[in-house]
Amino acid sequence: MPPAARRPRTYDPARTAAALTAQAGHVLDAARALSTEQLSASSGLPGWDVLHLLVHMARQIEVVPRVLGEPAPARADLDLTGWARSTNRIAVNLDTDTREAALGTADAAGRLESAAASLHDALPEAVDPARVIAITLGAMRAPDFLVTRLVELVVHSDDLATATGVPVPLDRQALAAVVRLLADTLAVTAPGNSVEVRVPPYAAVQCVPGPRHTRGTPPNVVETDPVTWVRLATGRTTWDTALAAGTVSASGERADLAPYLPLLG
């Protein structure tokens, strides 16, 4: 019997907006503290230095008011897990666009500051549940699109901290939303009920085809912390590396997520 259909998770638009504002602020604070040498250092992403990374983050904020200024589609045809599973389709274009934008950006912190101000002005419209916007991958509800911006900022805030050694706090609500979306994406990518994946305190999902447990502790359990889960889901670390480091625990013969990771392109 196929697994029961999952009810899509919902996110409170006001809390999402507050989390996005907070995380943008953390990124801006970190950017202002960077030296010229740090800006030219490798970001850890292929072909990008830290300046490229900051410009990419600014562009992920700038897109919110831009898409809100365009004609609205009649209806949404792309949900959050659909977005997550489709990001690999635009990875090459994002890389090209970021490189071009970086050539014209002398002040990354200034660009981030302007992007944050524009975001603030756009948020009253962006949190409207009835507002639909068009993006490259399809048409989304505007509040859902804000959740995707949290994914971008949380993932790249961690990249920025790793590359520069400058702490970039992760807003709790932002991290929670990203962990949940990535966990739900795993459940859609590997549908089933044989493995329970736990990312306390934010998420727990069942996934992977196989026998369904009906009571007590499931025979196949994976557990990890929120930041490690984000890194696994986005390819910043590998399953084997996390197991060896002890940041993931896995019990049971089916508790191997390596075939399904990373989730984002």
Side-chain angles (χ1 to χ4, degrees):
M1 178 180 297
R6 293 174 52 85
R7 177 178 296 179
R9 194 188 301 269
T10 59
Y11 297 83
D12 179 81
R15 295 181 70 182
T16 299
L20 187 58
T21 299
Q23 195 59 45
H26 293 323
V27 173
L28 179 56
D29 288 344
R32 287 170 171 158
L34 297 179
S35 66
T36 302
E37 290 75 17
Q38 286 171 312
L39 287 170
S40 61
S42 171
S43 70
L45 301 176
W48 287 10
D49 59 21
V50 171
L51 175 65
H52 284 87
L53 178 59
L54 292 175
V55 169
H56 176 72
M57 295 172 83
R59 286 171 53 79
Q60 303 317 299
I61 302 169
E62 292 166 351
V63 70
V64 175
R66 188 178 79 237
V67 296
L68 286 169
E70 297 173 355
R75 63 182 62 86
D77 58 16
L78 184 66
D79 62 12
L80 282 165
T81 57
W83 171 84
R85 299 180 73 202
S86 301
T87 54
N88 63 325
R89 289 167 41 194
I90 58 173
V92 172
N93 289 343
L94 286 175
D95 178 69
T96 300
D97 292 347
T98 296
R99 292 173 187 272
E100 292 177 354
L103 290 174
T105 304
D107 180 6
R111 183 161 184 171
L112 280 163
E113 186 172 8
S114 296
S118 296
L119 175 67
H120 179 270
D121 293 341
L123 285 177
E125 183 178 2
V127 298
D128 180 358
R131 184 67 162 91
V132 179
I133 52 95
I135 63 172
T136 303
L137 295 171
M140 297 190 79
R141 295 173 59 251
D144 285 348
F145 187 60
L146 291 185
V147 178
T148 73
R149 301 307 86 193
L150 288 180
V151 175
E152 293 286 351
L153 289 194
V154 166
V155 170
H156 292 309
S157 290
D158 187 44
D159 291 336
L160 181 61
T162 300
T164 64
V166 174
V168 186
L170 298 179
D171 176 79
R172 180 180 174 85
Q173 178 62 29
L175 181 59
V178 173
V179 165
R180 290 166 182 154
L181 172 53
L182 295 175
D184 290 346
T185 302
L186 173 64
V188 172
T189 301
N193 300 99
S194 69
V195 178
E196 183 163 289
V197 177
R198 302 169 179 170
V199 192
Y202 300 132
V205 297
Q206 293 185 5
C207 58
V208 180
R212 178 183 185 131
H213 70 274
T214 57
R215 63 180 62 186
T217 301
N220 302 281
V221 177
V222 171
E223 186 165 327
T224 188
D225 64 274
V227 172
T228 298
W229 172 239
V230 170
R231 292 172 178 172
L232 282 166
T234 60
R236 268 57 180 180
T237 192
T238 66
W239 177 254
D240 289 343
T241 298
L243 280 177
T247 53
V248 168
S249 64
S251 60
E253 62 180 14
R254 294 178 182 272
D256 180 5
L257 300 185
Y260 311 107
L261 298 173
L263 297 166
L264 298 190

